[in-house]
């Protein structure tokens, strides 16, 4: 059994780790880390897990935990892991970090967008960006996995094949993303009260959201050039789910018959199939079918679809996932499975819950 | 593998059966019955199951299905099964009926509350009321299981130990129940449109709801007398969940020290423990903790708690379950497990999904 | 123009006062009191009022405000007004208190249920309980109006005529109430976050909620005896609205033909008509129609209906109101209108907003 | 008093007309047209209006109504008005049509996008597109007003000043719009059931939504060229509200100092001020403030804001309105006010309801 420690177990992502790991046949949680609820039963905070798991919440003690756990999930505020990580810790355990601390290779970009100093940039080079479908092989050999953000997982996977295959101009990419409210975390803020969120939709962080550079870096690798994208997140009155609606101008390409024209629906579909046809957790929608967050809720799936607009020569790509699963805890478990040589889907074969 | 047929697979309860059975290691769905969607892929209707199950929807043909299936779930309108059931069918397969057709032993009461003629009352005597925690042994030997209603499962289980032990006067029982909207089914009715349900709460079927006689019959067995209860259902703007808040006057009893007084919190707790202490799917809340529907969503649990009001000498009992799982499909699978000698929890060890 | 000051203008009830008073032809807000947002524009906190009202939030200064305002609304935490009220203040201005400080005549009951010492019990006797439909004439002559609670307004008005006329046994009264989340206030608490409230229903404060003694006192006056009731509030995932479902045993009465029997639907209806037939803000539903919160949202109406259950000889009474309007700010304005001799409905003729 | 007839009074837009007109001092509803509910009381369908308005629903009879009413609102399916309108009718009454029948000047475009034949194209030339802020003077003289669609009102007003002033390249315009569910109407469709909409967000009608040509035509007038835009509507789990998030590339312009560069925030702000600075129903947000649907709910306001993204040289424009008010019934009343020479805001000074 893999011994698992969670730092930040009483946030929404941490608690989702508990839910997923409770059904994982090869993993056992040995540490429910939660500064806010030290000595309280985890199940007094998350009663959904009552009679399923047992354990009291523990204060932070990464060195001790590193000696006891085979893998540590850090579902912590930005900067926490960077401020405590050491070579000794990394030599004793594997870490899957759900914060942004090691996602961005250029530490200056991290510090600019997050507004904090990075305390351990020496570990950035070895950290593997844990987008399993793209970086599977590197993850398997890693000590430190930077688990991607929820918006970024959705945004990148939705556009990746078309960027990689050169079917769209990546500089025209506009990502209009919509998220359920669990993405805002469990902190006691007026802005996230029921009455403030319910019966409302709003954009926020326009042109300044921190997931922007993460998307640009990863899609830039695919495009083999530096790219700049527009990314606008929105808050939707629902618990879970992210929908990314992405717009880009199609690029004229050489068609099979030798002519040069905009790619057809079949060519775009083929690009998606090339990269995702064998993926367990990516479901490609039939032509014309739009992904919806309700179809992935509670599961590790990403549903992806697209429509070509022949009037504007743009493609509208759409991706939907559950922000707490594929956008956080599910992908973290998927990374754990890779780290330990398990079936990548172990513990993650959960049918989406509808309605 | 148990071969399973579902009649009514595209209603919410039927589709939940598909979700649960897709994760059941001993069962295989061979028949997705749906009059409304004949020849369409089941996963075109319920895209959550896309890439998980396969199969086209089939028209009704109970005789054929009875020959092919080991067990049939009928998630059908009232009166359907009663109108088509025959001895031949029952000799070929087992049936778990999610409608009310065989729940009530007195056919006159059925016909009065449901307003329809019962077409096969000859099967009523052998039908077992499939409230697993109460009638476990009878279910194991049954051919025909009448799967309890969602409100009734919640209402009965919440009060049963106190009625059975004589701690409350059952004639004073008032059940104020609140249900999520999936309980209203997937029919296209104006009353169930998003804008009609959202931002609203209402009572309905006051003093006339069809689950009333079912509750009265079952709690009457526990009380060993005919009882009459007040039952008021309410519609709540949420997808899943039933909360039953139940009020009853405590009866003076002989206490352990020989005196006669109202039962204490400990005595009431002990009564619950006596009947449910070993039950997998009933979770007794710690003193003073109120059950909430969010803690059971997606799972087969019933959470039960209570508060004694010393000012009024009443006890307030509260039970919460997921109407589509323990209130319908989950209990149906639990019954299937009993019918086939499997572990009763097989395929049902699902942690509730929160948030 | 009546000069109005509001203490606590940035809570939900306070902000609703601003909304209502912005459309009141005889009133003018001169003071937006808010400790939390001193010096900020009120409309930066409540952008719905942008371009409609103007004013910066001011710190508490009741003595100063008393000199400037004709009436003060205190939408403040329990104990605030009691701790600062003086005879001098009351000699200068009228006060409509939306907190509970002066609602309960017996200060010991107040102190027991609220768990705080009452700092100015000398003003309790003169305070008028501002349930306009019941105490209209006393309100007109008051200096200090104790504006009723949201649950209490709904609970009392729904049962009042039947208690007053002796058609029900008040000791059997059970009130199962359901509230939207704005009733929980705008404080930053985890329990009121969107993800904690959405897709959930729960009871809380069972047998201990502070509105209980207020209901018991007022209905006790109607019954002309001390009464004890069961009151259970529930939190519903919606912004506004309270629905009270109330159960009581009918009392046998002498019928018009001289026989003694349970009251008929017509008699119960006549009792409601007797007290409410001329009321602007109480709408009696047609027989069999259940009130729903959506039909009163945004308005000062209370919708009341009932069903007699002939099987149990109980009546199920139901009342619905908007907790922020008739349950708080609307009733406060109604009281203001009475205090100043205006048309009682001035500024309150708002059609409910649906959907 | 203006005598008003409504055809389609029991749809959401029609019922919102009833709500708004019930508070309009110069208008009186004489005809509640509703094929579906003939002879039923309007307030039995919309109980929010109980005790406020009176009248039975009447079948369609446009010729009769034209003789009796000063103005007719048609809140009817596409094609209805076009199929029954005659010169005689138009000579007797004024018509504000909430359907799309006369919005688009090129009948071929109408027929292509709506898929139906236009039965009275002869009236298209005289119909005035009733976007009050743009076409105020023409509306005043019209007999037939084509009331704009909800998405279009929001989309056009949000971008109009920047298109008109040449600050953006209109061919790059991408409109990502999000709507509450009342926009889908009150028809009994499975797709609009509570459980299908709740906890979900989806795009629909991608590249094919019928509001696209309406937006293109109107913004094309502003741009003085034919334009093609991307328009993607989304369904949000809330009752009311539309948020349009619009992206466009800024065009280099000659700045006040003579240099050529991208327009500054101040220049963009000035463009909005130029067109909307005096508008009653358009509220321009302070720099950096994003409009939210909750701040306009129940009112006739459009809230507009923007952010310049200096990295991509795009501007993100955002507009929010209540789809049933400014997006339908409110704008229709605003048009009525213009038609009859009343204060344009008469009956529409409603503060948004929050929460």
């Amino acid at each position: 059994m893999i011994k698992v420690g969670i730092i930040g177990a009483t946030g929404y992502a941490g608690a989702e780790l508990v839910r997923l790991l409770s059904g994982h046949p090869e993993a056992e949680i040995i540490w429910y880390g939660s500064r806010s609820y030290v000595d309280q039963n985890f199940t007094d905070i998350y009663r959904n897990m009552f009679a399923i798991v047992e354990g009291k919440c523990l204060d932070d003690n990464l060195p001790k935990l590193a000696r006891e756990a085979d893998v540590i999930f850090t579902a912590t505020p930005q900067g926490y892991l960077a401020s405590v990580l050491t070579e000794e810790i990394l030599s004793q355990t594997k870490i899957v970090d759900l914060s942004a601390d090691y996602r961005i290779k250029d530490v200056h970009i991290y510090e600019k967008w997050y507004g904090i100093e990075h305390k351990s940039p020496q570990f950035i080079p070895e950290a593997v960006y844990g987008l399993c479908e793209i970086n599977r092989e590197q993850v398997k050999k890693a000590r430190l996995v930077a688990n991607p953000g929820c918006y970024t997982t959705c945004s990148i996977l939705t556009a990746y094949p078309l960027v990689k295959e050169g079917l769209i101009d990546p500089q025209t990419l506009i990502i209009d993303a919509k998220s359920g409210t669990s993405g805002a975390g469990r902190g006691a803020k007026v802005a996230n009260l029921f009455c403030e969120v319910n019966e409302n939709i709003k954009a926020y962080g326009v042109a300044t959201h921190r997931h922007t550079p993460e998307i640009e870096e990863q899609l830039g690798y695919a495009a083999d050039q530096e790219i700049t994208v527009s990314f606008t997140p929105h808050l939707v009155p629902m618990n879970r789910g992210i929908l990314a609606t992405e717009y880009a101008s199609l690029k004229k390409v050489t068609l099979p018959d030798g002519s040069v024209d905009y790619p057809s629906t079949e060519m775009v579909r083929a690009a998606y199939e090339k990269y995702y046809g064998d993926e367990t957790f990516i479901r490609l929608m039939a032509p014309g079918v739009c992904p919806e967050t309700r179809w992935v809720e509670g599961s590790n799936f990403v549903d992806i679809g697209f429509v070509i607009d022949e009037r504007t020569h743009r493609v509208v790509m759409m991706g939907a996932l559950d922000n707490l699963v594929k956008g956080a805890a599910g992908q973290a478990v998927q990374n754990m499975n890779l780290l330990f040589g398990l079936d990548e889907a172990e513990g993650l074969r959960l049918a989406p819950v509808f309605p």
Side-chain angles (χ1 to χ4, degrees), chain A:
Chain A
M1 292 291 269
I2 301 166
K3 289 187 171 126
V4 176
I6 303 172
I7 313 275
T10 55
Y12 289 139
E16 187 72 352
L17 277 167
V18 175
R19 178 177 80 94
L20 296 175
L21 292 169
S22 76
H24 194 296
E26 307 287 340
E28 171 193 16
I29 302 174
I30 61 161
W31 187 289
Y32 296 87
S34 172
R35 281 186 215 177
S36 311
Y37 297 100
V38 171
D39 283 341
Q40 294 188 47
N41 289 317
F42 177 81
T43 58
D44 285 345
I45 318 302
Y46 283 87
R47 292 188 192 282
N48 58 320
M49 300 308 295
F50 178 56
I52 300 173
V53 300
E54 283 196 0
K56 287 196 182 299
C57 294
L58 302 173
D59 205 349
D60 292 351
N61 189 337
L62 195 60
K64 181 168 189 294
L65 177 53
R67 290 190 296 273
E68 300 179 4
D70 299 313
V71 61
I72 298 170
F73 295 98
T74 46
T76 43
Q78 316 306 337
Y80 167 79
L81 184 60
S83 71
V84 296
L85 190 60
T86 63
E87 175 59 32
E88 189 179 359
I89 288 169
L90 268 184
S91 69
Q92 294 170 324
T93 190
K94 291 174 184 292
I95 295 184
V96 179
D97 179 26
L98 282 76
S99 87
D101 284 4
Y102 300 98
R103 290 179 192 157
I104 293 172
K105 289 297 173 199
D106 183 335
V107 71
H108 303 296
I109 291 181
Y110 172 90
E111 294 185 338
K112 180 179 149 204
W113 286 78
Y114 284 86
I116 51 177
E117 184 192 351
H118 199 295
K119 295 297 179 61
S120 55
Q122 68 274 23
F123 299 117
I124 295 179
E126 79 162 284
V128 173
Y129 188 74
L131 194 52
C132 312
E133 285 75 13
I134 311 296
N135 297 328
R136 180 170 287 127
E137 296 310 316
Q138 299 94 301
V139 170
K140 290 180 182 172
K141 298 170 291 195
R143 297 193 300 179
L144 174 58
V145 175
N147 206 59
C150 51
Y151 278 125
T152 39
T153 297
C154 195
S155 299
I156 295 166
L157 289 176
T158 299
Y160 179 81
L162 306 199
V163 172
K164 185 82 176 173
E165 292 293 296
L167 299 182
I168 57 175
D169 175 357
Q171 305 294 1
T172 65
L173 186 62
I174 289 171
I175 301 170
D176 191 283
K178 298 92 177 167
S179 175
T181 305
S182 58
R186 202 168 182 251
K189 295 178 186 167
V190 168
N192 296 332
L193 291 176
F194 182 83
C195 290
E196 307 288 318
V197 172
N198 190 37
E199 293 299 292
N200 189 41
I201 184 164
K202 67 172 177 183
Y204 64 98
V206 180
T208 62
H209 193 277
R210 295 165 169 188
H211 282 177
T212 311
E214 193 178 327
I215 298 167
E216 291 176 345
E217 178 179 333
Q218 297 299 324
L219 287 180
Y221 296 146
D224 206 17
Q225 59 172 286
E226 286 202 4
I227 68 169
T228 313
V229 306
S230 291
F231 172 70
T232 310
H234 296 75
L235 190 67
V236 179
M238 58 185 191
N239 285 351
R240 291 172 178 242
I242 285 180
L243 179 71
T245 312
E246 311 193 10
Y247 304 85
S249 295
L250 292 165
K251 275 163 61 176
K252 286 193 176 173
V253 292
T254 304
L255 301 186
D257 67 358
S259 66
V260 173
D261 205 347
Y262 294 106
S264 64
T265 291
E266 291 66 33
M267 287 182 69
V268 171
R269 172 79 190 185
Y272 278 114
E273 286 283 358
K274 174 176 172 184
Y275 291 91
Y276 298 149
D278 295 331
E279 288 295 338
T280 303
F281 293 122
I282 299 184
R283 303 193 295 191
L284 298 176
M285 302 289 99
V289 173
C290 296
E292 309 185 23
T293 60
R294 60 176 165 157
W295 302 131
V296 297
E297 191 173 326
S299 83
N300 202 48
F301 289 115
V302 189
D303 282 4
I304 297 177
F306 71 93
V307 173
I308 287 179
D309 184 351
E310 302 200 341
R311 300 165 64 254
T312 59
H313 301 305
R314 292 191 190 110
V315 62
V316 184
M317 300 158 278
M318 293 161 281
L321 54 69
D322 182 323
N323 57 301
L324 292 179
V325 190
K326 184 62 180 173
Q331 185 148 258
V333 171
Q334 196 179 349
N335 276 310
M336 180 191 81
N337 288 338
L338 289 170
L339 287 172
F340 289 87
L342 304 176
D343 177 346
E344 191 173 329
E346 194 67 85
L348 296 171
R349 288 183 198 88
L350 300 162
V353 180
F354 171 81

